[in-house]
Amino acid sequence: MLDRHVAALLEDLDRDGKPDPGDSIRYTAQVQNTTSFTARGVRLDSGLDPNSALLVGSVTTTRGSVLLGNTSGNTAVRVQVGDLAGNASATIAFDAR
């Protein structure tokens, strides 16, 4: 399994190209099964920096279901990807401020 996380500035309030308090960041994780065998019960858990807040409703996935992150008060992300066939991948994205 391979897990890649990428962070990108989504909303730059002062347009300086750098993340500052109040700006929104989009986090994208790609979970990839790099084997030829099916990976069973794949799950992604991701926390946030304590100075950030998850933008509720922003969690998406290309496979499986969002278990945590789209409800008011959630402070972490959990996605149940499920079984991931060999050489398959899933992309999970969420926003924080």
Side-chain angles (χ1 to χ4, degrees):
M1 296 298 291
L2 179 63
D3 176 16
R4 292 186 185 133
H5 277 75
V6 176
L9 195 55
L10 181 65
E11 181 183 25
D12 187 5
L13 296 177
D14 62 5
R15 295 184 171 97
D16 67 353
K18 301 178 206 167
D20 299 303
D23 289 349
S24 297
I25 309 282
R26 169 150 299 151
Y27 295 92
T28 305
Q30 184 178 36
V31 180
Q32 183 175 8
N33 182 354
T34 57
T35 74
S36 59
F37 304 99
T38 298
R40 307 266 182 222
V42 176
R43 186 176 86 186
L44 176 102
D45 289 297
S46 187
L48 291 172
D49 179 286
N51 296 312
S52 298
L54 182 64
L55 296 179
V56 174
S58 68
V59 184
T60 62
T61 182
T62 59
R63 292 183 182 261
S65 59
V66 176
L67 301 179
L68 189 63
N70 279 340
T71 303
S72 182
N74 289 164
T75 59
V77 172
R78 177 173 291 154
V79 173
Q80 184 66 45
V81 175
D83 294 349
L84 198 55
N87 300 308
S89 64
T91 303
I92 295 106
F94 59 93
D95 304 335
R97 177 167 294 143

